Amino acid sequence: MLSSLADVVGSKHVLTDPDVLAARSIDHTGRYRGRASALVRPGSADEVAGVLRICRDAGAFVTVQGGRTSLVAGAVPEHDDVLLSTERLSAISEVDTVERRVTTGAGVSLAAVQTAALSAGLVFGVDLSARDTATVGGMASTNAGGLRTVRYGNMGEQVVGLEVALPDGSVLRRHSRVRSDNTGYDMASLFVGAEGTLGVITELDLRLHPIPAHRVTAVCGFDSLDLLVAAGRMFAEVDGIAALELVDGRAAALSHEHLGFPPPVAGDWLLLVELAADHDQTERLAELLDDAQLCGEPAVGVDAAAQQRLWRVRESLAEVLGVYGPPLKFDVSLPLSAICEFASRSADLARRQVRDSLPLLFGHIGEGNLHLNVLRFPVEREADLYAEMMELIAGCGGNVSSEHGVGTRKRPYLSMSREAADIAAMRTVKAALDPTGYLNAAVLFSPSP
């Protein structure tokens, strides 16, 4: 099989070095490990299709890898898999400023797309802290959201066309230049959010947006989470909302202690809010802040430098979370009415298991898309907490995953968010496109009974 793969992609792009494979078989969190037999790096959609045909015929499992920023073991192999990397699918077309779109390979980083958009006077609607390493193919596969979701929506709302190598080794190309297309199934939506189980996304047509002429940012402090949630509800409905981020005050304190970034305001809970429009939003923001029950004066940034300083309270979290070792991460979507209950009960759960654990909550409050990170929680104790936390999320009316996907880590809990008929229908689609189940076999679905 290895010689056949080399014939397709070139011998230098088929790697079997044990150290390379070991490094590629560990999750971004450092908590989850797998095993692989080879790493293959195709350079085109046809090469991806050729790799898939060979692996299918050989009965080899395939795990697809992009930037490997998954937090739920979505890129960790379980079956001595062939790792299929999209890193060489790195082409970016010239930006179409009339249609406001750009075509990119699946292996292009988010930062590269953002740079291309900005150079053309436009903006890409999705932003993540992992922008330098996350790839747009992986982001589409998990339907990632991020820091601008409250304004532009998730990744699926940015994808207007795509190219996919299917499990049978054929290539589906869905590139439509028209803005309204009602000619059958919405194929792009089928593969966006499928976590690589139905095919390998190789190329995407991405929607771009005009850059607002004016932007104003504020960080506000609150004495209680319920007051912050109430303010978040208000801001989420405002025309011109561009970002709405919750930050645990304890996380901000850690950033100060370890990175030297003092929080811009005091408060047990912080809310970063940003408005953007074609006209100055400063007075409008001041009026809205007057209606919120803050615990002190907000910090407001009108110019770019001041706004960047305020954003550090949110952006620095990714760097500081690992200060006590790999944190235990929970990506959760909750009704806004359940956030306070979840925050309290999840902290109690964590501390009951490990007394000195440190649960920190932050995320996209406008959509109830939150990230709970439990620090100082030993890897060997994870199983003690994970199932209870999933039960709590479901009991609060939430979904066990919001924007990180189900991956491997959350697959036993899919039935908490999907009914049996949903899962059966998804399995039917999977079986239709991948009858042998060899593609991303560890992801999303638990083994059939």
Side-chain angles (χ1 to χ4, degrees):
M1 182 181 71
L2 293 179
S3 61
S4 298
L5 292 173
D7 289 341
V8 172
V9 303
S11 58
K12 68 179 180 180
H13 297 301
V14 179
L15 306 177
T16 57
D17 183 280
D19 292 336
V20 172
L21 297 180
R24 292 280 189 142
S25 299
I26 185 170
D27 191 72
H28 182 72
T29 66
R31 284 180 169 263
Y32 316 120
R33 296 176 182 270
R35 64 185 189 275
S37 60
L39 169 67
V40 184
R41 303 182 300 190
S44 69
D46 290 337
E47 288 188 4
V48 173
V51 168
L52 293 182
R53 280 194 298 272
I54 291 168
C55 292
R56 178 202 59 185
D57 293 345
F61 290 97
V62 172
T63 291
V64 186
Q65 294 188 337
R68 297 187 299 118
T69 56
S70 171
L71 301 176
V72 288
V76 175
E78 277 195 357
H79 306 95
D80 211 23
D81 301 21
V82 172
L83 303 178
L84 191 160
S85 171
T86 63
E87 63 195 85
R88 293 179 60 219
L89 306 176
S90 56
I92 305 181
S93 74
E94 183 177 351
V95 173
D96 184 339
T97 56
V98 176
E99 294 295 333
R100 296 176 184 158
R101 63 168 63 186
V102 64
T103 300
T104 79
V108 173
S109 71
L110 170 58
V113 174
Q114 291 173 330
T115 298
L118 288 172
S119 68
L122 297 168
V123 65
F124 184 54
V126 176
D127 191 21
L128 311 171
S129 297
R131 62 184 67 87
D132 291 327
T133 49
T135 62
V136 290
M139 291 166 58
S141 292
T142 59
N143 196 19
L147 303 170
R148 305 290 180 184
T149 307
V150 70
R151 184 180 184 92
Y152 298 111
N154 280 26
M155 191 69 182
E157 294 174 70
Q158 321 308 319
V159 177
V160 293
L162 47 66
E163 178 183 79
V164 183
L166 298 176
D168 66 359
S170 63
V171 178
L172 181 153
R173 293 180 170 91
R174 188 67 189 131
H175 299 287
S176 179
R177 307 304 299 175
V178 300
R179 299 193 179 196
S180 179
D181 185 354
N182 194 23
T183 55
Y185 299 148
D186 184 351
M187 298 304 290
S189 293
L190 180 62
F191 296 97
V192 172
E195 301 189 43
T197 59
L198 302 180
V200 181
I201 296 175
T202 56
E203 188 176 82
L204 305 99
D205 298 329
L206 299 173
R207 188 190 315 275
L208 303 177
H209 306 270
I211 298 176
H214 298 274
R215 189 179 299 274
V216 59
T217 310
V219 174
C220 320
F222 293 84
D223 286 329
S224 67
L225 184 55
D226 59 336
L227 293 177
L228 185 148
V229 172
R233 286 178 182 272
M234 174 186 67
F235 276 111
E237 302 300 322
V238 172
D239 290 339
I241 189 68
L244 198 55
E245 293 292 305
L246 161 73
V247 177
D248 193 323
R250 294 168 298 178
L254 277 181
S255 295
H256 186 196
E257 178 182 353
H258 294 280
L259 303 178
F261 300 149
V265 297
D268 292 335
W269 299 92
L270 307 183
L271 178 68
L272 185 149
V273 56
E274 189 166 272
L275 301 182
D278 291 332
H279 55 281
D280 190 355
Q281 294 279 286
T282 306
E283 290 188 10
R284 176 63 173 146
L285 178 61
E287 293 170 357
L288 292 167
L289 291 175
D290 283 342
D291 293 332
Q293 298 184 52
L294 313 183
C295 65
E297 289 297 315
V300 179
V302 177
D303 62 85
Q307 291 164 0
Q308 187 174 18
R309 286 193 296 272
L310 294 181
W311 267 101
R312 284 192 312 197
V313 74
R314 176 64 175 86
E315 293 276 11
S316 64
L317 297 182
E319 185 176 351
V320 78
L321 286 175
V323 69
Y324 299 114
L328 179 53
K329 293 177 175 288
F330 298 94
D331 161 56
V332 53
S333 180
L334 291 164
L336 295 187
S337 59
I339 288 175
C340 295
E341 177 189 1
F342 173 77
S344 175
R345 292 180 61 189
S346 62
D348 290 343
L349 277 179
R351 291 182 180 129
R352 190 172 71 239
Q353 295 285 352
V354 176
R355 181 175 297 179
D356 66 344
S357 63
L358 179 59
L360 301 177
L361 191 66
F362 62 92
H364 322 306
I365 191 69
E367 307 85 61
N369 174 1
L370 302 179
H371 308 300
L372 173 65
N373 284 252
V374 184
L375 280 55
R376 297 196 297 243
F377 203 94
V379 173
E380 59 270 18
R381 296 290 304 276
E382 177 176 324
D384 297 337
L385 178 62
Y386 215 94
E388 284 191 89
M389 196 67 76
M390 294 295 103
E391 291 282 359
L392 173 60
I393 293 166
C396 289
N399 285 331
V400 297
S401 181
S402 180
E403 62 177 343
H404 293 168
V406 173
T408 298
R409 187 63 188 88
K410 292 187 176 181
R411 70 186 185 194
Y413 310 105
L414 181 62
S415 61
M416 292 182 178
S417 295
R418 292 289 192 121
E419 294 184 356
D422 291 335
I423 297 174
M426 288 193 290
R427 285 188 179 276
T428 298
V429 175
K430 169 70 170 173
L433 292 176
D434 181 15
T436 63
Y438 78 98
L439 183 57
N440 271 22
V443 173
L444 194 59
F445 300 114
S446 295
S448 298

